[in-house]
Amino acid sequence: MKPIYDSWDLSYKSIFGAIRQGESCRFTIRLPKDISLDFPPVLVLFRTGFKERFLRMNEIVDEGDCLAYSTNYTAMYTDVHYYYFSYTMHGTRHYIKKNNVHEGNVDFGDLFQLTVYNNTYETPDFLKGGVMYQIFPDRFCRSGKKHENVPSDRVMREWGETPYYKPDQNGHVWNNDYFGGDFAGIQSKLPYLNDLGVTCIYLNPIFESHENHRYNTADYMKADPLLGTNDEFEELCREADKYGISVILDGVFSHTGADSVYFNKFGRYSEPGAYQSQSSPYYSWYTFINYPDTYEAWWGIDTLPNVWENNESYTEFICGDEGVLKYWLGKGAAGWRLDVADELPDRFLFNLRKSVKSFDKDKIVIGEVWEDASNKESYGIKRRYLLGNQLDSVMNYPFREAIINFIKGGSSAGFAYSIMTIAENYPKPTLDVLMNFVSTHDIERAINRLGGENCDDKSKEWMAERFLNEHEYNLGKNRLKTAMALMFFLPGVPSIYYGDEAGLQGYKDPFNRRCYPWGNEDHELIEYVSNLSRVRKSIPNLRDGRIYFVIDNEKLTDDRVTAFTRQGDPDYIFFVNKSEADITINSVGEILHLFSDLKPYIGHFADDAVKLEPYGYTIITGIFNK
């Protein structure tokens, strides 16, 4: 018996996932012949805050054991829509809603989601099919070059020492220890990054700031003097471009530092800031409750005063023709990653995107969003990140959690459901440039998460000098290889957090921000990641090919293995083994029946079997009947 409805099957929904505004999509349900309907069923769609729309499903096709009812819907409005089906039998109304992630179920379940995005929405090509590398600038590479005008209150550390983490007598951790990573150091390692297969560098904040993370901006128009000058950043971009490597910057626009040109709480700068004078040109940027000592601050941290992003003066300063965004794009930046995008209001994001795209439509805008960005709500507002007028991409935390959970014991079906939910909800232009990762500066490194103890309930003292023992390291390394393979083969762009490829360890902030271990790298792991880059570059399907999983198949029930295809001409099928055992999958030709517009695969493989090494992957392709 066929399912009542399956949103992943093109014979039920003619377009997989999100659709463009003005695009027509055919919806079909299949009901048993023995059901006697009072009148034809309906498709019910609505947008949050708007009334339901009822579409009669009039066309009936006899398919033997069931009747198929269909209707077409042409999307008129960009928004996240929700839908279900309804039919009436003997005076009783029944509903077909979502169960088991994508299948229809009678009378209970959740609403299906349909994302409709702007018909002109496209994302930059330069990132598609590439490899990103995230660098925390102070900790990647120190050139030894002498820099001018470095503030005297910075504590310089020896490369590789444990970052400061203990609070002062007032309970504040000042993060004023520095290891001296700089632009020239990054530039010196461009050949290494090129050999690793990197095509884009994402830099954590580079602007003058007075803590080592630089998320407390002191001057948006000036590079931090310990990193180098604005001209040296421009030189880095020029040299990187010779290797085909672009550079993306981190924009922190929801707050500034209290110790900044704009607020100037500690009097570091000669010009009066908002804290010192209500006549300051920056006073209107901030919200004071009891001037000057009580003011709105990011998460209540008084060293990070919030800005009012939609203040006309502030918006012009960031987004104007002479503003921050265009200044650094003019210096060679390929785009922006936006810190805490949840806290940036819609109007500001519209203005920001307009500014970036008016400079060059091929510059990218990536937002920090930790959840499903298509249906995210923040501060009581339904966000509109991915409809075509705000972001190009987001940091893909849902994929990260799906990968980690699968490798640490989750089922292959659960993994597939997590990945396919995002693939279904996100516009295809977004999906192709998603920032995929398993580690970042905000979470513990994947090798620790995969091989070591859980650190969630541990103290900073426990994390500070905690390193994996030999068994834990080998386990974490092997699992990290599997995680990296998945990250490289799934839709989107793999993002390597500096040092992950070298076996760098670290639990949570600041220990996930240790110095890159030059001279003590795990070269075998580096070669493995480099090979993944070569594989990725050799398979054009990994640029933008649709993904479909092999699930619910009696020939592949082993939860140690996940299998999926990235479609193209020809198709490639990826088998990944998360276990320590050798695995052989037989009768491969019978397995490759996927929920797509393709006929069942008839593959030609050696012995009709796939062999997987421990923590390994196998990629197959062939001539398929379509």
Side-chain angles (χ1 to χ4, degrees):
M1 182 68 184
K2 295 179 180 179
I4 295 174
Y5 180 70
D6 184 344
S7 66
W8 296 353
D9 188 325
L10 300 186
S11 69
Y12 289 86
K13 181 171 175 283
S14 63
I15 299 172
F16 173 78
I19 63 176
R20 287 187 181 273
Q21 182 183 21
E23 194 168 34
S24 181
C25 183
R26 188 171 184 82
F27 293 83
T28 300
I29 60 173
R30 290 176 166 85
L31 298 176
K33 273 187 174 180
D34 58 2
I35 290 181
S36 177
L37 302 182
D38 296 347
F39 37 80
V42 292
L43 165 66
V44 187
L45 299 103
F46 68 94
R47 298 180 288 149
T48 301
F50 294 85
K51 291 182 179 180
E52 293 175 320
R53 182 175 179 182
F54 298 85
L55 300 178
R56 289 172 61 89
M57 308 185 77
N58 293 325
E59 299 183 21
I60 304 173
V61 177
D62 189 329
E63 297 184 349
D65 60 348
C66 64
L67 295 176
Y69 297 82
S70 299
T71 189
N72 289 316
Y73 171 66
T74 300
M76 297 176 60
Y77 302 101
T78 58
D79 210 339
V80 173
H81 297 61
Y82 297 96
Y83 69 95
Y84 62 95
F85 305 91
S86 177
Y87 64 90
T88 303
M89 184 173 64
H90 305 309
T92 301
R93 190 177 184 188
H94 297 278
Y95 305 91
I96 300 171
K97 294 186 177 181
K98 182 172 66 174
N99 185 46
N100 198 26
V101 183
H102 61 107
E103 297 174 346
N105 188 79
V106 177
D107 287 345
F108 71 87
D110 300 315
L111 297 172
F112 290 95
Q113 178 176 320
L114 176 67
T115 304
V116 179
Y117 58 98
N118 193 289
N119 58 9
T120 63
Y121 180 39
E122 300 292 346
T123 51
D125 285 336
F126 78 88
L127 206 54
K128 297 173 184 176
V131 176
M132 188 182 289
Y133 193 85
Q134 180 186 351
I135 292 177
F136 193 80
D138 186 57
R139 311 289 162 81
F140 179 60
C141 183
R142 177 176 58 192
S143 70
K145 183 177 183 178
K146 181 175 176 56
H147 297 291
E148 302 295 332
N149 303 314
V150 177
S152 60
D153 55 350
R154 299 188 178 185
V155 179
M156 300 306 300
R157 307 288 306 286
E158 291 297 319
W159 195 260
E161 291 182 331
T162 298
Y164 286 169
Y165 63 94
K166 295 183 179 179
D168 62 16
Q169 62 271 23
N170 297 317
H172 185 80
V173 179
W174 284 101
N175 299 303
N176 66 339
D177 59 326
Y178 293 80
F179 292 86
D182 56 7
F183 294 144
I186 297 170
Q187 186 171 319
S188 73
K189 297 300 181 181
L190 288 174
Y192 164 74
L193 296 177
N194 182 59
D195 289 344
L196 195 63
V198 172
T199 61
C200 178
I201 296 170
Y202 153 46
L203 293 176
N204 287 110
I206 66 165
F207 310 122
E208 178 169 295
S209 306
H210 302 297
E211 295 191 58
N212 53 44
H213 50 72
R214 301 189 174 100
Y215 280 95
N216 56 334
T217 310
D219 190 338
Y220 286 106
M221 303 301 284
K222 180 180 177 185
D224 192 271
L226 195 55
L227 291 174
T229 65
N230 295 14
D231 288 341
E232 286 177 297
F233 170 76
E234 190 170 12
E235 180 183 344
L236 169 63
C237 292
R238 282 198 307 270
E239 291 303 308
D241 185 61
K242 294 177 182 179
Y243 290 93
I245 298 174
S246 53
V247 180
I248 292 173
L249 291 178
D250 204 332
V252 188
F253 301 131
S254 71
H255 55 272
T256 68
D259 193 0
S260 67
V261 170
Y262 318 106
F263 203 76
N264 206 12
K265 183 174 183 177
F266 308 110
R268 184 187 294 268
Y269 298 92
S270 58
E271 181 183 354
Y275 182 85
Q276 294 149 320
S277 172
Q278 296 181 49
S279 298
S280 166
Y282 312 116
Y283 174 77
S284 64
W285 294 8
Y286 303 94
T287 301
F288 289 93
I289 299 164
N290 185 17
Y291 187 82
D293 290 317
T294 308
Y295 45 86
E296 289 188 4
W298 187 77
W299 286 58
I301 302 171
D302 63 5
T303 56
L304 301 173
N306 277 339
V307 296
W308 177 22
E309 296 92 342
N310 288 328
N311 172 273
E312 185 176 347
S313 169
Y314 181 76
T315 299
E316 180 66 19
F317 176 74
I318 299 297
C319 304
D321 287 340
E322 305 297 323
V324 173
L325 298 171
K326 291 187 176 181
Y327 175 80
W328 290 101
L329 294 175
K331 287 290 184 182
W336 293 89
R337 176 266 187 189
L338 305 179
D339 185 53
V340 292
D342 291 347
E343 302 183 27
L344 300 174
D346 281 340
R347 183 151 60 98
F348 182 78
L349 286 174
F350 291 144
N351 285 323
L352 186 149
R353 180 182 181 84
K354 182 179 179 181
S355 175
V356 170
K357 299 300 181 178
S358 68
F359 183 92
D360 185 340
K361 66 181 179 59
D362 291 325
K363 302 297 185 182
I364 199 160
V365 181
I366 303 173
E368 179 193 10
V369 181
W370 287 57
E371 303 83 8
D372 182 333
S374 70
N375 52 38
K376 166 82 183 205
E377 291 188 19
S378 61
Y379 302 95
I381 296 174
K382 194 85 168 179
R383 303 313 304 258
R384 303 175 60 82
Y385 299 129
L386 306 181
L387 301 181
N389 294 310
Q390 293 188 3
L391 305 177
D392 291 312
S393 173
V394 290
M395 298 182 73
N396 198 357
Y397 278 95
F399 272 23
R400 187 258 184 180
E401 287 305 305
I403 291 171
I404 297 292
N405 291 338
F406 170 61
I407 291 174
K408 295 197 71 174
S411 70
S412 55
F415 175 68
Y417 292 158
S418 295
I419 300 301
M420 288 296 291
T421 295
I422 295 298
E424 182 176 22
N425 288 351
Y426 284 17
K428 181 65 166 50
T430 298
L431 201 63
D432 293 339
V433 291
L434 281 177
M435 180 180 168
N436 296 340
F437 52 84
V438 289
S439 304
T440 74
H441 63 291
D442 282 327
I443 50 180
E444 68 270 34
R445 287 187 178 268
I447 197 168
N448 292 78
R449 175 85 180 266
L450 293 170
E453 296 180 61
N454 188 313
C455 69
D456 289 342
D457 60 347
K458 302 298 192 299
S459 67
K460 294 283 189 182
E461 285 73 17
W462 183 91
M463 297 182 208
E465 303 299 337
R466 181 73 53 164
F467 294 93
L468 304 177
N469 61 37
E470 184 178 0
H471 170 75
E472 290 172 331
Y473 180 82
N474 288 331
L475 176 63
K477 175 180 173 178
N478 284 326
R479 286 176 164 178
L480 178 60
K481 287 181 177 180
T482 305
M484 287 278 196
L486 291 170
M487 186 175 80
F488 271 70
F489 300 152
L490 292 173
V493 181
S495 178
I496 304 164
Y497 184 42
Y498 80 100
D500 266 11
E501 80 282 9
L504 184 58
Q505 300 179 38
Y507 284 99
K508 294 182 178 180
D509 172 19
F511 315 111
N512 56 356
R513 305 172 183 179
R514 294 181 185 273
C515 298
Y516 186 102
W518 298 111
N520 295 291
E521 307 97 320
D522 186 324
H523 290 283
E524 192 272 335
L525 190 53
I526 290 174
E527 179 55 31
Y528 178 86
V529 175
S530 299
N531 187 61
L532 282 176
S533 292
R534 289 190 286 271
V535 170
R536 179 173 173 80
K537 186 176 182 180
S538 71
I539 300 178
N541 306 39
L542 293 175
R543 174 184 172 88
D544 57 7
R546 293 278 190 183
I547 185 170
Y548 291 98
F549 278 84
V550 181
I551 56 175
D552 301 330
N553 189 297
E554 62 181 16
K555 297 290 185 181
L556 185 58
T557 59
D558 193 333
D559 273 333
R560 297 173 297 175
V561 176
T562 184
F564 53 88
T565 181
R566 297 295 303 278
Q567 292 186 315
D569 189 14
D571 296 277
Y572 286 80
I573 300 91
F574 301 82
F575 293 83
V576 180
N577 175 13
K578 70 176 182 180
S579 78
E580 61 185 1
D582 287 295
I583 296 176
T584 298
I585 302 170
N586 296 306
S587 303
V588 172
E590 298 178 28
I591 290 174
L592 302 177
H593 174 69
L594 310 175
F595 34 83
S596 70
D597 55 344
L598 303 182
K599 295 179 180 178
Y601 284 119
I602 302 175
H604 302 277
F605 314 111
D607 302 321
D608 200 26
V610 166
K611 299 183 185 300
L612 294 170
E613 296 180 353
Y615 305 106
Y617 63 87
T618 296
I619 306 171
I620 60 176
T621 188
I623 301 171
F624 305 113
N625 292 340
K626 294 187 179 181

